[in-house]
Amino acid sequence: MTVTGAARVVAVRHRCAFVLLCGVQTTLIFTLAVIAVPLPRIGREFGLGRADLILLSASYGLTFAGLVLFGGRLADRYGGRRALTAGLALFAAASAAALLAPGIGALLAARFAQGAGAALVAPAAMAVLRAVFPSPAAYGRAMATWGGLSVLGATAGNLLSGVISALLSWRWTFAVPLVVAIAALALTPRLLPDTASSRGRTLDLPGALLATLGITLASYGLVVTDAEPWSSAGVLVPLLGGAVLLAAFWYVERRARDPLLPPRFLFHRRRGLALTAIALSACATAMTFVVLSLHLQQARDWSQLQTSAAFVPFVVALIASGRTAGPLIGRYGAGTVTAAGLSTGAAGLALLAFTGLDAQTPYAYGLLPGLVLLPAGTAASFAGAAVLATEGVPQQQTGLAGGVLNTAMEFGPTVLLACLLTLGGDARSLAVTGAALAVVALLAHRTK
């Protein structure tokens, strides 16, 4: 084989590996949103109250967010491909259990297990991605695409879950992550390179335990504000307990020889700003689906299929923006694209807040402009922010970077969303979120 032919084979192999990893990452976020639309049906089938529905809705995200930092350290410690394989096996088994769950207890356990598997898969996939594209330039281009996968996965989850549950059953929504996980397990040994482990590093089990319990408790406390007042014990106890545990985590990390999350890792100004942009963009996307899905079905009396169809322009704009973000980052820089994306997303939220929630306003000019601007902006901001967040990270900390990045992605649709939806009205929540995007856009512009 000639040198040119060998190079072509390597390029094709890298492209296939990238497609596989992208499919896995998209599916992890798809699974987060997969029961959002059919949740009322699940509640009627199992006779669930509001508190049970809230816990079921949040269960996957709670373990995902709580364990993902530890998952990143495991990926760095034992190697990305090994951690990816273990996480995919757990994720596949949990997806099958969710599909076959005979009752709410089994379904809850399956969702918690899915989140644990995802917490190992997500940072491990980023560690393997770094091995596929070892040069900084190639890795930066890959991260520009990687950054938009979370919002694509969330969008696909919301749309397809409505279609699948309407045509078949909510149970079949879990067939998607099951099939993807099985396919990824079969293809991983063939397509993905082995990655080096760091066996000289400790696992910082005290830090992992404090971080997991602190994030999980605090997130749960914020999630249940949808059903209980802020002054209730059901909210205050987990919130305060989570805050105490996170404060203890910070104290332990500052003194640990090999900390789970080195404090200086977050002190990088551009990285902190990028993680904020990711969390807010994820929150904006999740809020739009929650608010508009309820508005269309309750205020306008649309069916599940009509509601899913209303978001088709959202998907088109999202994909188009995601495809152009990489070249724009290469030409103008990640900071500029992040700032422009946040500004565009803020404009889209403003339109939705002031015109989209009027049931008498036609879809074409009441909702459609915002449903195009918002995804175009968030896809660009995700892409730019993902590049900024991983900029300058050494290869032995790639799993850590993946854990932090995914924590920000989970923080937005759970913690920030729960807080912002308590502001007293859907329009106000959308407007405040848009204002927050605009502020971060200004900061991103000043720190380019």
Side-chain angles (χ1 to χ4, degrees), residues 40-438:
R41 284 192 175 190
I42 299 173
R44 289 192 297 270
E45 180 172 329
F46 291 140
L48 305 180
R50 184 175 179 83
D52 292 328
L53 288 175
I54 291 172
L55 181 58
L56 179 59
S57 177
S59 54
Y60 176 85
L62 287 175
T63 48
F64 193 169
L67 289 169
V68 71
L69 284 177
F70 188 50
R73 175 48 60 92
L74 288 174
D76 290 335
R77 173 69 172 77
Y78 294 106
R81 196 175 80 171
R82 183 178 297 181
L84 179 69
T85 301
L88 283 170
L90 175 58
F91 188 73
S95 299
L99 192 153
L100 301 171
I104 182 59
L107 183 57
L108 267 174
R111 289 291 282 172
F112 280 122
Q114 274 187 316
L120 187 53
V121 170
M126 276 191 61
V128 175
L129 182 68
R130 184 68 175 268
V132 174
F133 300 104
S135 75
Y139 183 64
R141 289 193 296 270
M143 284 307 302
T145 300
W146 193 266
L149 296 179
S150 61
V151 67
L152 177 61
T155 303
N158 280 284
L159 290 181
L160 292 182
S161 65
V163 174
I164 293 172
S165 61
L167 297 179
L168 298 171
S169 164
W170 61 266
R171 293 181 179 276
W172 286 103
T173 59
F174 292 107
V176 176
L178 175 60
V179 170
V180 171
I182 291 174
L185 280 170
L187 294 173
T188 289
R190 303 178 185 179
L191 295 179
L192 302 183
D194 203 1
T195 51
S197 58
S198 302
R199 294 194 176 275
R201 306 184 68 179
T202 60
L203 286 177
D204 185 20
L205 293 177
L209 183 63
L210 289 170
T212 299
L213 293 177
I215 292 172
T216 303
L217 271 178
S219 299
Y220 176 76
L222 289 167
V223 166
V224 297
T225 56
D226 187 56
E228 300 185 35
W230 283 85
S231 57
S232 68
V235 173
L236 288 178
V237 170
L239 272 182
L240 294 176
V244 170
L245 290 171
L246 289 175
F249 168 72
W250 189 254
Y251 178 84
V252 167
E253 294 302 280
R254 292 182 64 185
R255 286 156 177 78
R257 182 176 65 86
D258 193 8
L260 179 72
L261 177 60
R264 63 182 180 275
F265 189 83
L266 297 179
F267 287 161
H268 190 289
R269 184 174 60 173
R270 284 161 67 90
R271 184 172 297 129
L273 189 66
L275 294 173
T276 303
I278 288 170
L280 278 172
S281 297
C283 173
T285 303
M287 180 180 293
T288 300
F289 271 100
V290 170
V291 169
L292 293 188
S293 292
L294 291 174
H295 168 76
L296 292 173
Q297 294 180 66
Q298 294 176 354
R300 303 199 184 204
D301 199 28
W302 287 22
S303 67
Q304 285 187 0
L305 288 177
Q306 287 176 311
T307 301
S308 295
F311 285 98
V312 169
F314 189 104
V315 178
V316 173
L318 181 70
I319 294 174
S321 179
R323 290 181 64 86
T324 59
L328 289 175
I329 290 171
R331 182 171 182 178
Y332 298 106
T336 299
V337 172
T338 301
L342 290 168
S343 300
T344 305
L349 282 176
L351 287 174
L352 292 173
F354 294 112
T355 65
L357 299 182
D358 183 354
Q360 305 306 317
T361 305
Y363 170 86
Y365 57 85
L367 284 171
L368 185 58
L371 285 175
V372 171
L373 285 177
L374 176 63
T378 54
S381 65
F382 262 111
V387 174
L388 291 176
T390 54
E391 194 175 57
V393 175
Q395 187 159 1
Q396 65 270 21
Q397 287 188 328
T398 307
L400 169 64
V404 171
L405 194 70
N406 280 278
T407 299
M409 290 179 183
E410 294 297 312
F411 184 82
T414 53
V415 176
L416 288 181
L417 180 63
C419 292
L420 290 167
L421 285 177
T422 63
L423 294 177
D426 291 340
R428 182 178 298 178
S429 298
L430 290 170
V432 171
T433 306
L437 287 176

